[in-house]
Amino acid sequence: MKAMILAAGFGTRLLPLTKTIPKPLILFRNEPLIVHQIRALKRAGVEEIVVNVHHLAEQIMSVLGSGNEYGVKIAYSEEREILDTGGGIKKALPLLGQSPFIVLNGDVWTDFAFAQICQRTTDYAHLILKQNDGSSMGRDFAFEGENIQRFAVTESHTHTFCGISLIHPSVFSGIIRTKFSLTRDLLFDLVQQKKVTAEVFDGVWFDIGTKTSLHHVQKILAT
């Protein structure tokens, strides 16, 4: 199974830090975040990884290289302009093949065991969710059994999307747009059609999207 790490974004919520370093290269335990992600994917048996790049792309490609150092093969999808999550994946489809592939947000710190999603398959999309703990976590979904029932930000939505998913490439068929969101512009429609499944993950997960979350995780890992 192949995987794609979304690493093209500007990381604007972490400015001024991300003005000179892309968010996936921020250090955690003396290694870039994206390297930790690659090692986790490798442990699960994933050996072919696609990384999309735009903001400070040269830095990411210089650090990761071909992937040999980490025992994987890395291919890059370079974006001349930001294509958002859905558009970025669509552009990279020729590198991802015809089978379902893992998609991982480049700003996620987690101890999720990717082997469990490698054992799954889907004809559409399968998402990893985290139950909302009453904090500032987003309330993205509600679901019963394995099928997501609703997608919106309301008090009745109890689970947050972890930025980890299994996607079948066929879901992009017929999409003409080059720039669009995976969640808002694609998963929403699939949820309405009852085609998206999910499972709940109760381990360690942090979205390193803000200064607060970044400092929180760095403090935890330093202890």
Side-chain angles (χ1 to χ4, degrees), residues 59-115:
Q59 288 190 35
I60 294 176
M61 293 189 289
S62 176
V63 169
L64 300 182
S66 65
N68 286 343
E69 181 178 349
Y70 314 108
V72 300
K73 180 181 179 181
I74 296 177
Y76 297 96
S77 178
E78 299 183 56
E79 300 178 11
R80 293 185 178 181
E81 64 172 325
I82 289 287
L83 300 177
D84 208 339
T85 50
I89 298 169
K90 180 174 179 286
K91 181 180 183 298
L93 287 178
L95 300 171
L96 290 163
Q98 301 301 312
S99 301
F101 52 85
I102 297 168
V103 177
L104 172 59
N105 288 359
D107 57 2
V108 167
W109 174 275
T110 182
D111 65 356
F112 178 74
F114 287 93

Side-chain angles (χ1 to χ4, degrees), residues 90 93 169-178 180 186:
K90 180 174 179 286
L93 287 178
S170 65
V171 301
F172 294 91
S173 298
I175 297 179
I176 300 174
R177 287 175 296 173
T178 57
F180 61 96
L186 180 55

Side-chain angles (χ1 to χ4, degrees), residues 164-202:
I164 303 170
S165 56
L166 185 67
I167 304 291
H168 196 288
S170 65
V171 301
F172 294 91
S173 298
I175 297 179
I176 300 174
R177 287 175 296 173
T178 57
K179 182 178 181 179
F180 61 96
S181 166
L182 174 66
T183 51
R184 295 189 307 272
D185 301 320
L186 180 55
L187 293 181
F188 178 82
D189 290 337
L190 293 176
V191 166
Q192 295 295 96
Q193 298 170 49
K194 310 298 184 194
K195 292 179 176 178
V196 180
T197 57
E199 63 186 276
V200 178
F201 170 60
D202 61 3

